[in-house]
Amino acid sequence: MPLLTIHHKTEYRYNRPVAFGEHRIMLRPRDGHDLRVLDSRLEISPEPMSLRWIHDVFGNSVAIANFDERSETLTFDWHVTVEHNPVDEFALTPDDEAYFYPFVYDDEEFPDLVQYITPQYADPDGEIAEWARGFLDEESPSPTFNILSGMTHGIREQFKYRKRHEPGTQHPLDTLQSGTGTCRDYALFMIEALRHLGFAARFVSGYIFVPEDIEEHHVGGGSTHAWVQVYLPSAGWIEFDPTNGIIGTRDLIRVAVARDPRQAIPLHGVYIGSEGAFEEMDVNIRVVSDDQNSDEEMEAEVS
């Protein structure tokens, strides 16, 4: 079970001292059978007047900070070590309810899944729905795995990844029509496409570990990452990363799940001061394995 260490530092800089309103920090990985938090440390400067932890409506861990000091900088420095045990790619057998599409969700589960099945963004001319249907076999039924795998790799192959510094996530139609987007844009687009087919899908925010030997194949490192979870009867929630073509949790460190990306913002808050006081935000994220840490320590000792 490999150990991964995440260092996520965000610093806001202002050209004069300002006051700060409430800040919500969603950076703590979600514990589970495939991921366990071993150690964590959150350092905030200036030190908040109060810091409390809650679970939001989706069960994500959220820290809420309130401040009583003015400052020209605001820094959030997060260190966490996790034990990551990636699950194998899921495999359905012909006996599984969801082996072929279309399938039916259980009557007892459907009321809890309906919010993830219902499309949330307008598709007036049916462009997203039409694109999604392109992954179905002409003669139904279609193997469910083929649809999900095809769409995951299809987005990676058909769209051009680009970093976008504007806040928020673009409309799924903009992603389809422009053929470009960030990992958050890809995830939201895939979610909406799947919802048009009747799949229960939700947004995942977290980190990606990029091993040194496959750096040229992974994108999204050095920043927060986003991907998709799909719920299948008997298989549960399964991860799909359309940015990198990953199926399952390999290299993915889950932090938050949500119906919509706006509910899984890693860090947000307000400052109280003049409009022109804000200068810049600097974000540095590093995810390394225990082996990499050991190698770097040895190199430091030698030098």
PDB file of all heavy atoms in Angstrom, residues 103-126:
ATOM      1  N   PHE A 103     -30.085  -0.460 -18.242  1.00  0.00           N
ATOM      2  CA  PHE A 103     -30.415  -1.236 -17.051  1.00  0.00           C
ATOM      3  C   PHE A 103     -31.301  -0.362 -16.173  1.00  0.00           C
ATOM      4  O   PHE A 103     -31.498   0.832 -16.434  1.00  0.00           O
ATOM      5  CB  PHE A 103     -29.147  -1.670 -16.300  1.00  0.00           C
ATOM      6  CG  PHE A 103     -28.255  -0.517 -15.929  1.00  0.00           C
ATOM      7  CD1 PHE A 103     -28.468   0.219 -14.771  1.00  0.00           C
ATOM      8  CD2 PHE A 103     -27.187  -0.153 -16.753  1.00  0.00           C
ATOM      9  CE1 PHE A 103     -27.656   1.289 -14.434  1.00  0.00           C
ATOM     10  CE2 PHE A 103     -26.362   0.926 -16.426  1.00  0.00           C
ATOM     11  CZ  PHE A 103     -26.606   1.645 -15.271  1.00  0.00           C
ATOM     12  N   VAL A 104     -31.818  -0.940 -15.103  1.00  0.00           N
ATOM     13  CA  VAL A 104     -32.735  -0.212 -14.219  1.00  0.00           C
ATOM     14  C   VAL A 104     -32.140  -0.165 -12.820  1.00  0.00           C
ATOM     15  O   VAL A 104     -31.666  -1.179 -12.294  1.00  0.00           O
ATOM     16  CB  VAL A 104     -34.122  -0.902 -14.174  1.00  0.00           C
ATOM     17  CG1 VAL A 104     -35.053  -0.165 -13.205  1.00  0.00           C
ATOM     18  CG2 VAL A 104     -34.730  -0.956 -15.569  1.00  0.00           C
ATOM     19  N   TYR A 105     -32.141   1.023 -12.231  1.00  0.00           N
ATOM     20  CA  TYR A 105     -31.686   1.156 -10.849  1.00  0.00           C
ATOM     21  C   TYR A 105     -32.744   0.607  -9.893  1.00  0.00           C
ATOM     22  O   TYR A 105     -33.957   0.681 -10.166  1.00  0.00           O
ATOM     23  CB  TYR A 105     -31.402   2.622 -10.510  1.00  0.00           C
ATOM     24  CG  TYR A 105     -30.121   3.145 -11.117  1.00  0.00           C
ATOM     25  CD1 TYR A 105     -30.153   4.100 -12.128  1.00  0.00           C
ATOM     26  CD2 TYR A 105     -28.880   2.687 -10.680  1.00  0.00           C
ATOM     27  CE1 TYR A 105     -28.973   4.594 -12.685  1.00  0.00           C
ATOM     28  CE2 TYR A 105     -27.700   3.163 -11.238  1.00  0.00           C
ATOM     29  CZ  TYR A 105     -27.754   4.115 -12.238  1.00  0.00           C
ATOM     30  OH  TYR A 105     -26.579   4.590 -12.794  1.00  0.00           O
ATOM     31  N   ASP A 106     -32.278   0.072  -8.785  1.00  0.00           N
ATOM     32  CA  ASP A 106     -33.163  -0.500  -7.775  1.00  0.00           C
ATOM     33  C   ASP A 106     -34.136   0.556  -7.253  1.00  0.00           C
ATOM     34  O   ASP A 106     -33.778   1.720  -7.072  1.00  0.00           O
ATOM     35  CB  ASP A 106     -32.320  -1.053  -6.622  1.00  0.00           C
ATOM     36  CG  ASP A 106     -33.159  -1.799  -5.604  1.00  0.00           C
ATOM     37  OD1 ASP A 106     -33.672  -1.135  -4.686  1.00  0.00           O
ATOM     38  OD2 ASP A 106     -33.278  -3.023  -5.731  1.00  0.00           O
ATOM     39  N   ASP A 107     -35.394   0.131  -7.019  1.00  0.00           N
ATOM     40  CA  ASP A 107     -36.422   1.064  -6.535  1.00  0.00           C
ATOM     41  C   ASP A 107     -36.028   1.727  -5.219  1.00  0.00           C
ATOM     42  O   ASP A 107     -36.387   2.884  -4.968  1.00  0.00           O
ATOM     43  CB  ASP A 107     -37.761   0.333  -6.349  1.00  0.00           C
ATOM     44  CG  ASP A 107     -38.401  -0.030  -7.681  1.00  0.00           C
ATOM     45  OD1 ASP A 107     -38.008   0.566  -8.705  1.00  0.00           O
ATOM     46  OD2 ASP A 107     -39.284  -0.908  -7.694  1.00  0.00           O
ATOM     47  N   GLU A 108     -35.287   1.010  -4.370  1.00  0.00           N
ATOM     48  CA  GLU A 108     -34.891   1.584  -3.087  1.00  0.00           C
ATOM     49  C   GLU A 108     -33.745   2.585  -3.236  1.00  0.00           C
ATOM     50  O   GLU A 108     -33.614   3.505  -2.439  1.00  0.00           O
ATOM     51  CB  GLU A 108     -34.481   0.466  -2.116  1.00  0.00           C
ATOM     52  CG  GLU A 108     -35.649  -0.422  -1.686  1.00  0.00           C
ATOM     53  CD  GLU A 108     -35.242  -1.410  -0.618  1.00  0.00           C
ATOM     54  OE1 GLU A 108     -34.052  -1.395  -0.217  1.00  0.00           O
ATOM     55  OE2 GLU A 108     -36.100  -2.198  -0.178  1.00  0.00           O
ATOM     56  N   GLU A 109     -32.906   2.400  -4.253  1.00  0.00           N
ATOM     57  CA  GLU A 109     -31.772   3.290  -4.460  1.00  0.00           C
ATOM     58  C   GLU A 109     -32.114   4.494  -5.329  1.00  0.00           C
ATOM     59  O   GLU A 109     -31.483   5.554  -5.209  1.00  0.00           O
ATOM     60  CB  GLU A 109     -30.602   2.527  -5.092  1.00  0.00           C
ATOM     61  CG  GLU A 109     -30.006   1.463  -4.192  1.00  0.00           C
ATOM     62  CD  GLU A 109     -28.838   0.740  -4.848  1.00  0.00           C
ATOM     63  OE1 GLU A 109     -28.821   0.641  -6.088  1.00  0.00           O
ATOM     64  OE2 GLU A 109     -27.946   0.279  -4.102  1.00  0.00           O
ATOM     65  N   PHE A 110     -33.098   4.349  -6.181  1.00  0.00           N
ATOM     66  CA  PHE A 110     -33.398   5.398  -7.147  1.00  0.00           C
ATOM     67  C   PHE A 110     -33.678   6.761  -6.513  1.00  0.00           C
ATOM     68  O   PHE A 110     -33.157   7.778  -6.999  1.00  0.00           O
ATOM     69  CB  PHE A 110     -34.576   4.985  -8.033  1.00  0.00           C
ATOM     70  CG  PHE A 110     -34.858   5.970  -9.133  1.00  0.00           C
ATOM     71  CD1 PHE A 110     -34.101   5.977 -10.303  1.00  0.00           C
ATOM     72  CD2 PHE A 110     -35.874   6.910  -8.997  1.00  0.00           C
ATOM     73  CE1 PHE A 110     -34.351   6.895 -11.306  1.00  0.00           C
ATOM     74  CE2 PHE A 110     -36.128   7.831  -9.993  1.00  0.00           C
ATOM     75  CZ  PHE A 110     -35.365   7.828 -11.152  1.00  0.00           C
ATOM     76  N   PRO A 111     -34.463   6.853  -5.418  1.00  0.00           N
ATOM     77  CA  PRO A 111     -34.706   8.183  -4.834  1.00  0.00           C
ATOM     78  C   PRO A 111     -33.423   8.879  -4.384  1.00  0.00           C
ATOM     79  O   PRO A 111     -33.353  10.113  -4.401  1.00  0.00           O
ATOM     80  CB  PRO A 111     -35.609   7.872  -3.628  1.00  0.00           C
ATOM     81  CG  PRO A 111     -36.290   6.596  -3.983  1.00  0.00           C
ATOM     82  CD  PRO A 111     -35.254   5.811  -4.730  1.00  0.00           C
ATOM     83  N   ASP A 112     -32.404   8.111  -3.995  1.00  0.00           N
ATOM     84  CA  ASP A 112     -31.136   8.706  -3.569  1.00  0.00           C
ATOM     85  C   ASP A 112     -30.241   9.048  -4.753  1.00  0.00           C
ATOM     86  O   ASP A 112     -29.284   9.818  -4.600  1.00  0.00           O
ATOM     87  CB  ASP A 112     -30.397   7.749  -2.631  1.00  0.00           C
ATOM     88  CG  ASP A 112     -31.207   7.425  -1.389  1.00  0.00           C
ATOM     89  OD1 ASP A 112     -31.589   8.369  -0.681  1.00  0.00           O
ATOM     90  OD2 ASP A 112     -31.475   6.235  -1.142  1.00  0.00           O
ATOM     91  N   LEU A 113     -30.533   8.476  -5.912  1.00  0.00           N
ATOM     92  CA  LEU A 113     -29.699   8.691  -7.088  1.00  0.00           C
ATOM     93  C   LEU A 113     -30.284   9.695  -8.070  1.00  0.00           C
ATOM     94  O   LEU A 113     -29.570  10.176  -8.961  1.00  0.00           O
ATOM     95  CB  LEU A 113     -29.487   7.356  -7.825  1.00  0.00           C
ATOM     96  CG  LEU A 113     -28.712   6.271  -7.081  1.00  0.00           C
ATOM     97  CD1 LEU A 113     -28.766   4.962  -7.864  1.00  0.00           C
ATOM     98  CD2 LEU A 113     -27.270   6.690  -6.862  1.00  0.00           C
ATOM     99  N   VAL A 114     -31.563  10.017  -7.918  1.00  0.00           N
ATOM    100  CA  VAL A 114     -32.239  10.823  -8.943  1.00  0.00           C
ATOM    101  C   VAL A 114     -31.560  12.159  -9.170  1.00  0.00           C
ATOM    102  O   VAL A 114     -31.508  12.656 -10.303  1.00  0.00           O
ATOM    103  CB  VAL A 114     -33.731  11.005  -8.572  1.00  0.00           C
ATOM    104  CG1 VAL A 114     -33.893  11.852  -7.310  1.00  0.00           C
ATOM    105  CG2 VAL A 114     -34.494  11.595  -9.743  1.00  0.00           C
ATOM    106  N   GLN A 115     -30.981  12.769  -8.124  1.00  0.00           N
ATOM    107  CA  GLN A 115     -30.304  14.061  -8.300  1.00  0.00           C
ATOM    108  C   GLN A 115     -29.063  13.934  -9.172  1.00  0.00           C
ATOM    109  O   GLN A 115     -28.623  14.907  -9.799  1.00  0.00           O
ATOM    110  CB  GLN A 115     -29.918  14.648  -6.951  1.00  0.00           C
ATOM    111  CG  GLN A 115     -28.920  13.803  -6.171  1.00  0.00           C
ATOM    112  CD  GLN A 115     -28.467  14.460  -4.878  1.00  0.00           C
ATOM    113  OE1 GLN A 115     -28.417  15.683  -4.792  1.00  0.00           O
ATOM    114  NE2 GLN A 115     -28.156  13.660  -3.873  1.00  0.00           N
ATOM    115  N   TYR A 116     -28.488  12.716  -9.211  1.00  0.00           N
ATOM    116  CA  TYR A 116     -27.299  12.493 -10.026  1.00  0.00           C
ATOM    117  C   TYR A 116     -27.639  11.999 -11.433  1.00  0.00           C
ATOM    118  O   TYR A 116     -26.764  11.940 -12.304  1.00  0.00           O
ATOM    119  CB  TYR A 116     -26.385  11.469  -9.358  1.00  0.00           C
ATOM    120  CG  TYR A 116     -25.938  11.860  -7.972  1.00  0.00           C
ATOM    121  CD1 TYR A 116     -26.343  11.141  -6.851  1.00  0.00           C
ATOM    122  CD2 TYR A 116     -25.112  12.966  -7.774  1.00  0.00           C
ATOM    123  CE1 TYR A 116     -25.935  11.499  -5.574  1.00  0.00           C
ATOM    124  CE2 TYR A 116     -24.695  13.336  -6.505  1.00  0.00           C
ATOM    125  CZ  TYR A 116     -25.114  12.598  -5.408  1.00  0.00           C
ATOM    126  OH  TYR A 116     -24.704  12.963  -4.147  1.00  0.00           O
ATOM    127  N   ILE A 117     -28.894  11.636 -11.649  1.00  0.00           N
ATOM    128  CA  ILE A 117     -29.342  11.155 -12.956  1.00  0.00           C
ATOM    129  C   ILE A 117     -29.914  12.294 -13.792  1.00  0.00           C
ATOM    130  O   ILE A 117     -29.831  12.286 -15.025  1.00  0.00           O
ATOM    131  CB  ILE A 117     -30.409  10.040 -12.783  1.00  0.00           C
ATOM    132  CG1 ILE A 117     -29.790   8.828 -12.065  1.00  0.00           C
ATOM    133  CG2 ILE A 117     -30.988   9.612 -14.126  1.00  0.00           C
ATOM    134  CD1 ILE A 117     -30.809   7.770 -11.686  1.00  0.00           C
ATOM    135  N   THR A 118     -30.461  13.294 -13.141  1.00  0.00           N
ATOM    136  CA  THR A 118     -31.125  14.400 -13.828  1.00  0.00           C
ATOM    137  C   THR A 118     -30.109  15.402 -14.380  1.00  0.00           C
ATOM    138  O   THR A 118     -29.304  15.953 -13.622  1.00  0.00           O
ATOM    139  CB  THR A 118     -32.064  15.143 -12.860  1.00  0.00           C
ATOM    140  OG1 THR A 118     -32.954  14.192 -12.257  1.00  0.00           O
ATOM    141  CG2 THR A 118     -32.866  16.204 -13.589  1.00  0.00           C
ATOM    142  N   PRO A 119     -30.112  15.675 -15.691  1.00  0.00           N
ATOM    143  CA  PRO A 119     -29.196  16.692 -16.243  1.00  0.00           C
ATOM    144  C   PRO A 119     -29.426  18.045 -15.580  1.00  0.00           C
ATOM    145  O   PRO A 119     -30.555  18.429 -15.296  1.00  0.00           O
ATOM    146  CB  PRO A 119     -29.566  16.722 -17.731  1.00  0.00           C
ATOM    147  CG  PRO A 119     -30.137  15.362 -18.007  1.00  0.00           C
ATOM    148  CD  PRO A 119     -30.878  14.994 -16.752  1.00  0.00           C
ATOM    149  N   GLN A 120     -28.342  18.763 -15.343  1.00  0.00           N
ATOM    150  CA  GLN A 120     -28.416  20.036 -14.624  1.00  0.00           C
ATOM    151  C   GLN A 120     -28.204  21.245 -15.529  1.00  0.00           C
ATOM    152  O   GLN A 120     -28.423  22.374 -15.110  1.00  0.00           O
ATOM    153  CB  GLN A 120     -27.348  20.061 -13.519  1.00  0.00           C
ATOM    154  CG  GLN A 120     -27.382  18.875 -12.578  1.00  0.00           C
ATOM    155  CD  GLN A 120     -28.563  18.903 -11.625  1.00  0.00           C
ATOM    156  OE1 GLN A 120     -28.812  19.905 -10.976  1.00  0.00           O
ATOM    157  NE2 GLN A 120     -29.302  17.808 -11.567  1.00  0.00           N
ATOM    158  N   TYR A 121     -27.762  21.018 -16.766  1.00  0.00           N
ATOM    159  CA  TYR A 121     -27.436  22.117 -17.670  1.00  0.00           C
ATOM    160  C   TYR A 121     -28.242  21.990 -18.959  1.00  0.00           C
ATOM    161  O   TYR A 121     -28.489  20.883 -19.454  1.00  0.00           O
ATOM    162  CB  TYR A 121     -25.937  22.132 -17.978  1.00  0.00           C
ATOM    163  CG  TYR A 121     -25.087  22.488 -16.776  1.00  0.00           C
ATOM    164  CD1 TYR A 121     -24.790  21.533 -15.803  1.00  0.00           C
ATOM    165  CD2 TYR A 121     -24.596  23.786 -16.603  1.00  0.00           C
ATOM    166  CE1 TYR A 121     -24.028  21.859 -14.683  1.00  0.00           C
ATOM    167  CE2 TYR A 121     -23.828  24.123 -15.496  1.00  0.00           C
ATOM    168  CZ  TYR A 121     -23.553  23.156 -14.538  1.00  0.00           C
ATOM    169  OH  TYR A 121     -22.802  23.476 -13.430  1.00  0.00           O
ATOM    170  N   ALA A 122     -28.610  23.136 -19.512  1.00  0.00           N
ATOM    171  CA  ALA A 122     -29.462  23.160 -20.699  1.00  0.00           C
ATOM    172  C   ALA A 122     -28.753  22.551 -21.909  1.00  0.00           C
ATOM    173  O   ALA A 122     -27.557  22.758 -22.118  1.00  0.00           O
ATOM    174  CB  ALA A 122     -29.870  24.602 -21.004  1.00  0.00           C
ATOM    175  N   ASP A 123     -29.523  21.816 -22.683  1.00  0.00           N
ATOM    176  CA  ASP A 123     -29.050  21.240 -23.943  1.00  0.00           C
ATOM    177  C   ASP A 123     -30.184  21.393 -24.953  1.00  0.00           C
ATOM    178  O   ASP A 123     -30.779  20.400 -25.399  1.00  0.00           O
ATOM    179  CB  ASP A 123     -28.673  19.770 -23.731  1.00  0.00           C
ATOM    180  CG  ASP A 123     -28.074  19.118 -24.965  1.00  0.00           C
ATOM    181  OD1 ASP A 123     -27.525  19.841 -25.819  1.00  0.00           O
ATOM    182  OD2 ASP A 123     -28.166  17.874 -25.088  1.00  0.00           O
ATOM    183  N   PRO A 124     -30.522  22.650 -25.322  1.00  0.00           N
ATOM    184  CA  PRO A 124     -31.749  22.921 -26.090  1.00  0.00           C
ATOM    185  C   PRO A 124     -31.838  22.193 -27.421  1.00  0.00           C
ATOM    186  O   PRO A 124     -32.945  21.818 -27.852  1.00  0.00           O
ATOM    187  CB  PRO A 124     -31.714  24.445 -26.281  1.00  0.00           C
ATOM    188  CG  PRO A 124     -30.279  24.830 -26.087  1.00  0.00           C
ATOM    189  CD  PRO A 124     -29.746  23.881 -25.067  1.00  0.00           C
ATOM    190  N   ASP A 125     -30.721  22.000 -28.102  1.00  0.00           N
ATOM    191  CA  ASP A 125     -30.750  21.331 -29.402  1.00  0.00           C
ATOM    192  C   ASP A 125     -30.320  19.867 -29.324  1.00  0.00           C
ATOM    193  O   ASP A 125     -30.129  19.218 -30.363  1.00  0.00           O
ATOM    194  CB  ASP A 125     -29.846  22.085 -30.393  1.00  0.00           C
ATOM    195  CG  ASP A 125     -30.321  23.513 -30.629  1.00  0.00           C
ATOM    196  OD1 ASP A 125     -31.549  23.722 -30.715  1.00  0.00           O
ATOM    197  OD2 ASP A 125     -29.461  24.418 -30.692  1.00  0.00           O
ATOM    198  N   GLY A 126     -30.143  19.375 -28.116  1.00  0.00           N
ATOM    199  CA  GLY A 126     -29.804  17.967 -27.933  1.00  0.00           C
ATOM    200  C   GLY A 126     -28.403  17.586 -28.388  1.00  0.00           C
ATOM    201  O   GLY A 126     -28.136  16.414 -28.684  1.00  0.00           O
TER     202      GLY A 126
END
